[in-house]
Amino acid sequence: MTGVSQATVSLVLNGRDDGSVRIAPETRERVLHAIRTTGYVADPVARRLAARHNRILGVFTYEPVFPTGTGDFYHPFLVGIEESAERLGCDLLLLTSAPVTDGRRRIFHDDNRLRLADGCVLLGRSLDREELGRLVAEGHPFVSVGRRDDAGGPVPYVGADYPVATATVVRRALDAGHTALAYLGQGAGPESHADRFAGYRTTLEAAGLPVRHEPTADRTAADLLDTLLAAGITAAVVEEYADGAAIAGLARERGLAVPGDLSILALGDPTRPAASDIEFTGFRIPRREMGWQAVELLTGLLAEVPGTVRQRLLPCQPVDGATLAPPPSPR
Amino acid sequence: MTGVSQATVSLVLNGRDDGSVRIAPETRERVLHAIRTTGYVADPVARRLAARHNRILGVFTYEPVFPTGTGDFYHPFLVGIEESAERLGCDLLLLTSAPVTDGRRRIFHDDNRLRLADGCVLLGRSLDREELGRLVAEGHPFVSVGRRDDAGGPVPYVGADYPVATATVVRRALDAGHTALAYLGQGAGPESHADRFAGYRTTLEAAGLPVRHEPTADRTAADLLDTLLAAGITAAVVEEYADGAAIAGLARERGLAVPGDLSILALGDPTRPAASDIEFTGFRIPRREMGWQAVELLTGLLAEVPGTVRQRLLPCQPVDGATLAPPPSPR
DNA sequence: CAACGTAGCTAATGCGTATTAGCGCAGAAA
DNA sequence: TTTCTGCGCTAATACGCATTAGCTACGTTG
């Protein structure tokens, strides 16, 4: 159309104006005009193949991205991710094709489109350590949403500061007069659980109080409640919101007052749908902010911005709630 | 590693076994072994460049994908889209980079990654007709979630059958004895609104009743309620759930009974956050199913499956609700 | 007038794969 | 022995762009 070479079009298209390349303003205008009238857009695939990057960020989740069963726990993360991506002019590639093997999605399989993206954000309660290690080893740029232990190298992440948030909540209980507390949940396994428990443990140890821990896996609310009451526990620190809701509901059914007879502290937002109109004392995970910063961090890594902090812990927001009261006076 | 050519690796990788190509089982095994040990994965970009498709589906929304302000109205669509994509082994490319011009996102801009995907799902209340026309004209495979009028050609879509759903709701009101109804909302503009109004109009006309219509734009709930009462309306058919909630709330504040004094029929789920504990009589939009089928249809188009129905209307699910009662006996 | 510089552009190449025509070779047929 | 046949594989090319060395034409300088 313009009698100009493909190279020139490419140069104009990319607005190359640096010292090494010069295009006559008149030619440039002619080409731009042709581009405008034809609506020509460079093929993003070829572009990526040649240029090695394309402003596409992968998003991998170990659970469905748009969850139905997890009470939309992940939704706020994605809101933050999307906002940030939009601001930075990036597209998001949801790696939904990852096949489920042994009950979980796998990043690495024989047709993964991971490398189509410049980098990748990882989301999920527990990431597969082997896959994480491989990401590190192969040098794929990525950021985890949620703190992760090293996996053959430091893992870049944007996490929530569960130790501090949990410690703060526990200290509130101590300040209210509680001396018999128990941690309900795994307290181990995924970093998010271990971190909570660590905050709980150190706070109680510092106060010289016993560190009680009740696992919840495969136990009924009734069993748990019985155990707590038998042990004289006055404040339950629950890892999972849903467990807190179940116990609170049951306690009230039995005529016990929450928090009058039993205080309940929830360590974060519901990850499973939990029907409850109670507002629990505890904290909120800055999910949107975490998603937002994860993308920020990832693009920072990609641009190799010097001085980028690769591991960030964000503070959680305390929630006063209505489930903490002084312990009942001993009978 | 195996002393074999790149072409052979490609053939093995793609499991080519058809008559035209033959690989000795032994060689094949050697190559596969090398692939396994090195964890080699073909570059998806180069693959796409050469093969012209890559099982990536674009998702374009005219509002943010993970909405905060729209009360998650779009979320169920995305759940369906993701489920379907996962089942089909497709990844999703969220076109979040689309810049906002004149208050809305634009598909076509000078760096759109649209063509990176094999096809595209479009989501949003009202799609830009010009852009829609261009998609059709340029032959981009796409499917709209929600019915769309032709745009320089038929638009493939998976929509909700608003005419029938609305007609059904209105007929319920007629059966309950109402003769003074009014439609509250735009009733025009986006197809979804026009379709609702069409269902309303035809039903009333068939019954020989007047077709009243009150626009809601820029009007307060008080103004609307006054107008309805002054006109002796006994049943309000509201396009927007949130408007229904506002009017119902206000009516009750004023001591009116809903539905005793005024029945309110909602034409679908909330698109704006609406705090209301009322369950409105009306219908539910099969959002998840729509998303699901949109992806199905799109992959059908891409595979050029013969006999693919390109325009589908899905039935809405009636909701009995608690806001329809016989009209009050005239005073 | 020759050597040199510079602005403006193009030819050529690489990115990593899929595809296809066709080559070499071994065994069968003549 | 020669010709034929089909199997197993490879060389070469296309895909559409970004990049860069280098070419041409037109001053400029000594």
Side-chain angles (χ1 to χ4, degrees):
Chain A
M1 276 186 63
T2 55
V4 119
S5 75
Q6 176 262 323
T8 305
V9 175
S10 175
L11 294 175
V12 170
L13 207 57
N14 296 14
R16 292 283 300 272
D17 243 346
D18 34 33
S20 68
V21 170
R22 338 211 95 263
I23 305 283
E26 173 193 283
T27 308
R28 181 182 300 276
E29 209 37 67
R30 234 174 45 238
V31 173
L32 283 176
H33 181 255
I35 289 176
R36 256 180 260 118
T37 59
T38 59
Y40 170 82
V41 175
D43 182 334
V45 180
R47 201 168 185 141
R48 160 68 152 135
L49 188 60
R52 327 301 269 282
H53 66 267
N54 56 9
R55 301 197 73 72
I56 288 180
L57 305 180
V59 177
F60 185 88
T61 56
Y62 274 92
E63 9 268 316
V65 182
F66 305 114
T68 50
T70 56
D72 295 347
F73 177 72
Y74 290 103
H75 193 251
F77 293 113
L78 292 165
V79 172
I81 290 173
E82 193 205 1
E83 283 179 355
S84 197
E86 175 168 1
R87 197 181 67 84
L88 295 165
C90 292
D91 291 318
L92 295 176
L93 182 64
L94 302 188
L95 284 323
T96 44
S97 72
V100 175
T101 314
D102 302 334
R104 64 184 334 175
R105 281 186 170 173
R106 303 198 67 80
I107 299 181
F108 293 100
H109 55 99
D110 57 343
D111 186 29
N112 81 69
R113 257 86 74 175
L114 182 59
R115 284 158 57 198
L116 201 143
D118 294 345
C120 183
V121 171
L122 266 40
L123 203 55
R125 180 153 352 180
S126 57
L127 306 187
D128 187 284
R129 293 196 57 77
E130 191 185 328
E131 298 204 314
L132 216 48
R134 184 158 166 198
L135 282 171
V136 173
E138 296 185 2
H140 290 287
F142 76 98
V143 169
S144 159
V145 175
R147 190 185 77 78
R148 309 289 164 190
D149 292 325
D150 282 12
V155 174
Y157 60 75
V158 176
D161 197 343
Y162 291 124
V164 165
T166 303
T168 304
V169 167
V170 170
R171 204 165 299 120
R172 284 189 61 189
L174 301 186
D175 290 348
H178 290 273
T179 54
L181 293 82
Y183 184 100
L184 272 58
Q186 270 188 272
E191 286 84 350
S192 58
H193 290 176
D195 287 358
R196 285 176 170 94
F197 189 72
Y200 166 80
R201 187 170 37 70
T202 54
T203 309
L204 286 192
E205 282 174 352
L209 292 172
V211 180
R212 290 214 188 76
H213 177 199
E214 290 296 333
T216 51
D218 301 324
R219 293 175 71 179
T220 64
D223 178 16
L224 279 170
L225 184 55
D226 288 342
T227 308
L228 295 180
L229 296 176
I233 300 296
T234 59
V237 180
V238 291
E239 192 175 76
E240 281 279 355
Y241 188 97
D243 292 336
I247 289 174
L250 184 63
R252 287 185 174 175
E253 263 178 40
R254 291 197 188 168
L256 291 171
V258 174
D261 295 310
L262 179 65
S263 290
I264 298 185
L265 308 170
L267 302 179
D269 307 84
T271 60
R272 305 198 302 259
S276 175
D277 47 358
I278 303 172
E279 182 160 25
F280 285 95
T281 301
F283 57 81
R284 254 185 250 306
I285 304 165
R287 291 177 284 181
R288 184 159 149 191
E289 179 71 17
M290 286 168 72
W292 209 88
Q293 286 208 26
V295 171
E296 285 286 308
L297 173 51
L298 180 55
T299 53
L301 294 182
L302 292 173
E304 294 178 349
V305 176
T308 304
V309 179
R310 300 166 113 87
Q311 303 189 324
R312 306 180 188 170
L313 284 185
L314 272 38
C316 296
Q317 186 199 335
V319 173
D320 275 352
T323 56
L324 173 61
S329 34
R331 282 175 281 180
Chain B
M1 277 185 62
T2 55
V4 118
S5 75
Q6 177 264 322
T8 305
V9 174
S10 176
L11 294 175
V12 170
L13 207 57
N14 295 15
R16 292 284 299 273
D17 243 347
D18 34 33
S20 67
V21 170
R22 338 213 97 262
I23 305 284
E26 173 193 284
T27 308
R28 182 182 299 275
E29 209 37 67
R30 233 175 46 238
V31 173
L32 283 177
H33 180 255
I35 289 176
R36 256 181 259 117
T37 59
T38 60
Y40 171 82
V41 176
D43 182 332
V45 180
R47 201 169 187 143
R48 162 68 153 132
L49 186 61
R52 328 302 271 283
H53 65 268
N54 56 7
R55 301 196 74 72
I56 288 180
L57 305 180
V59 177
F60 185 88
T61 57
Y62 274 93
E63 8 267 316
V65 182
F66 305 112
T68 50
T70 56
D72 295 347
F73 178 72
Y74 290 101
H75 194 250
F77 292 113
L78 293 165
V79 172
I81 290 173
E82 193 205 1
E83 283 179 355
S84 198
E86 176 168 2
R87 198 180 66 85
L88 296 165
C90 293
D91 291 317
L92 295 176
L93 182 64
L94 302 188
L95 284 323
T96 43
S97 72
V100 176
T101 314
D102 303 333
R104 63 184 335 173
R105 282 186 170 172
R106 304 199 66 81
I107 299 181
F108 292 101
H109 61 274
D110 57 341
D111 187 31
N112 81 69
R113 257 86 74 174
L114 181 59
R115 285 158 57 200
L116 201 144
D118 294 345
C120 183
V121 172
L122 265 40
L123 203 55
R125 181 153 351 181
S126 57
L127 306 187
D128 188 284
R129 293 196 58 76
E130 192 185 328
E131 297 204 315
L132 215 48
R134 184 158 165 198
L135 282 172
V136 172
E138 296 185 2
H140 290 287
F142 76 98
V143 169
S144 159
V145 175
R147 189 184 79 77
R148 308 292 164 189
D149 292 326
D150 282 12
V155 174
Y157 61 75
V158 176
D161 196 343
Y162 290 123
V164 164
T166 304
T168 304
V169 167
V170 171
R171 205 166 298 118
R172 283 189 62 190
L174 300 186
D175 290 348
H178 290 273
T179 54
L181 293 81
Y183 184 99
L184 271 58
Q186 269 187 273
E191 287 84 349
S192 58
H193 290 176
D195 287 359
R196 284 175 169 95
F197 190 72
Y200 167 80
R201 187 169 39 70
T202 54
T203 309
L204 286 192
E205 283 174 353
L209 291 171
V211 181
R212 291 216 187 74
H213 177 199
E214 290 295 332
T216 51
D218 302 324
R219 292 175 71 180
T220 63
D223 178 16
L224 279 169
L225 185 56
D226 289 342
T227 308
L228 295 181
L229 296 177
I233 299 297
T234 59
V237 180
V238 291
E239 192 174 76
E240 280 280 356
Y241 188 97
D243 291 336
I247 288 174
L250 184 63
R252 288 184 174 175
E253 264 179 39
R254 292 196 187 168
L256 291 171
V258 174
D261 296 309
L262 179 66
S263 290
I264 298 184
L265 308 169
L267 303 180
D269 307 83
T271 61
R272 305 197 302 260
S276 174
D277 46 359
I278 304 172
E279 183 161 26
F280 285 95
T281 301
F283 58 81
R284 253 186 250 306
I285 304 165
R287 291 176 284 181
R288 185 159 149 190
E289 180 70 17
M290 286 167 73
W292 208 87
Q293 286 209 26
V295 171
E296 287 284 311
L297 173 52
L298 180 55
T299 53
L301 293 182
L302 293 172
E304 295 180 348
V305 176
T308 304
V309 179
R310 301 166 112 86
Q311 302 190 323
R312 306 180 189 170
L313 285 184
L314 272 39
C316 296
Q317 185 201 336
V319 173
D320 276 352
T323 57
L324 174 62
S329 32
R331 282 178 278 181

